[in-house]
Amino acid sequence: MTVRLGCIADDFTGATDLANNLVRAGMRVVQLIDVPAVGGAQPAPDADAVVIALKSRTVPAAEAVESSLRALEWLRDAGAEQIYFKYCSTFDSTPAGNIGPVTEALMDALGTDFTVATPAFPDNGRTVFKGHLFVGDVLLGDSSMRHHPLTPMTDSNLVSVLAAQTTRPVGLIDHRAVAAGADAVRTRITELRAAGDGVAIADAVSNDDLLRLGAAVRDLPLVTAGSGLAIGLPANWGFKPSPAAAQLPPAVGHQAVVAGSVSAATNGQVRAFLDTGRPAFSVDPLRIAAGEDVAAEALAFAGRHLADGPVLVYSTESPEAVRAVQGRVGAAEAGELVERTLARVAQGLVERGVRQLVVAGGETSGAVVRALGLASLRIGPQIDPGVPWCAAPLPGGDTLHLTLKSGNFGGPDFFTTSFALLAGESR
Ligand code: ADP
């Protein structure tokens, strides 16, 4: 089975979001945590698409280019016929990069003179019209992204945003062409190429626009986008939405939730879990800072309850409580202490037979995945928009079912409905 689409994502939860869209459009997808060595021991996975998750969004541009080119080399080795560079749907970048420099490095390596760029994802409220990105009902430059600490986005015109970070001229495939269909988009691409443009921002305000764009870019060696364009590509190889694409091995073993997110949605999910009366252990950062072995206590607690159903270990607190802790220990130090503790808890839970694990929090997920030594995730059925179950081979040979939920995702009953969905899928 050959890998058709090779994807390079500039962060971890973005990679899962992209993989999830591809699965829903009918591809079987494996997500790799970082780039395996070319020609290394790990064989190319049995999948229609492979998504390599990098951490390259906000590192210096030269580093982002280097890791992206390594990913490209691995994906081409695995047989990928088209490359998809995935970035954030709010086009997070600065005039120094990294979207422009990585795009151009990939174009050079692939020997192609043209690609498209669109962060549009209408289902998540990201639309592009006349080159301008809207976040919900407001222009990007008027949204909260204006104040982002690392990549403040003050200009909503993506043609000028991208032009500031590329050497190639940037054009626009505007909505008239996209609305007129794939042939009109191809004609527009021919015009832009003839005029010497190397990249074109593509408008899209609906899923139908993305489907038309997807068909139009079938023969481009490289596409660059948020995760939205993924809904329009699988059909180019004849894939159709099918539950088989999301099939995972049967789930076995104990169930647990590890929550290290303090976002509003996770606070609600923790409350809903506590309301069910199921066993839950609260991790107090101040006790960790005082040198107490909170991870060992959490594991002893979990050990007593795992046989009876899901157990929750959480550091989730109200924003006021978190600020109080940060005031005493420092924000970075508190985050680090909690991440390290929860990663140890996740490791201990797996040692105690947990094989179905829900993790809440983006950074927390990264820490847990590293602690468990996971190298790849097969993407399964979606639990809530953007959050799929995954199956990962454990270093010992067993399979771990896990879902990595970034803070604000998921409905209020996520911590219980996720296990019910997995049980239903596994029957
Ligand atoms: P989200 O996806 O909601 O942003 P993350 O896991 O990415 O969640 O980030 C949450 C951060 O807050 C982590 O660094 C975590 O260790 C830290 N944290 C979690 N609980 C607490 C707490 N009670 N006090 C202080 N910091 C905390």
Side-chain angles (χ1 to χ4, degrees), residues 202-269:
D203 279 355
V205 298
S206 67
N207 284 350
D208 284 342
D209 287 342
L210 289 174
L211 294 173
R212 286 187 283 266
L213 270 176
V217 300
R218 188 178 67 190
D219 297 325
L220 296 183
L222 174 71
V223 298
T224 84
S227 62
L229 187 62
I231 70 172
L233 297 183
N236 291 336
W237 286 278
F239 294 103
K240 293 189 182 69
S242 129
Q247 186 111 44
L248 297 180
V252 294
H254 295 319
Q255 303 168 326
V257 182
V258 171
S261 150
V262 295
S263 70
T266 308
N267 264 287
Q269 289 152 355

Side-chain angles (χ1 to χ4, degrees), residues 261-263 267 282-283 285 314-322:
S261 150
V262 295
S263 70
N267 264 287
S282 156
V283 166
Y314 65 106
S315 68
T316 312
E317 283 282 6
S318 67
E320 302 76 51
V322 171

Side-chain angles (χ1 to χ4, degrees), residues 45-139:
D46 175 28
D48 307 312
V50 172
V51 181
I52 297 186
L54 302 177
K55 244 187 142 175
S56 57
R57 184 168 297 167
T58 54
V59 301
E63 264 176 57
V65 163
E66 187 274 329
S67 58
S68 304
L69 289 176
R70 266 193 299 122
L72 173 66
E73 197 186 347
W74 191 92
L75 290 167
R76 290 171 91 185
D77 239 40
E81 295 162 11
Q82 187 174 44
I83 300 297
Y84 189 129
F85 169 39
K86 152 76 173 75
Y87 37 73
C88 189
S89 67
T90 41
F91 217 67
D92 299 17
S93 55
T94 71
N98 293 335
I99 294 177
V102 169
T103 298
E104 292 201 284
L106 294 173
M107 290 175 76
D108 291 341
L110 286 162
T112 183
D113 67 346
F114 191 85
T115 189
V116 294
T118 185
F121 191 8
D123 281 353
N124 276 357
R126 311 290 191 266
T127 51
V128 181
F129 186 62
K130 295 189 187 297
H132 288 67
L133 175 58
F134 289 81
V135 178
D137 294 329
V138 299
L139 282 162

Side-chain angles (χ1 to χ4, degrees), residues 261-279:
S261 150
V262 295
S263 70
T266 308
N267 264 287
Q269 289 152 355
V270 167
R271 267 196 309 277
F273 188 92
L274 296 177
D275 285 347
T276 66
R278 292 174 196 277

Side-chain angles (χ1 to χ4, degrees), residues 13 259-264 266 283-286 314-318 321-326 329-340 342 359-366 405-409:
T13 40
S261 150
V262 295
S263 70
T266 308
V283 166
D284 177 354
L286 293 179
Y314 65 106
S315 68
T316 312
E317 283 282 6
S318 67
V322 171
R323 269 196 298 277
V325 168
Q326 290 173 334
V329 204
E333 176 71 6
E336 161 79 6
L337 287 174
V338 172
E339 279 169 40
R340 221 180 315 136
L342 293 181
V359 185
E363 293 299 322
T364 310
S365 294
K405 183 194 84 73
S406 70
N408 262 325
F409 280 43

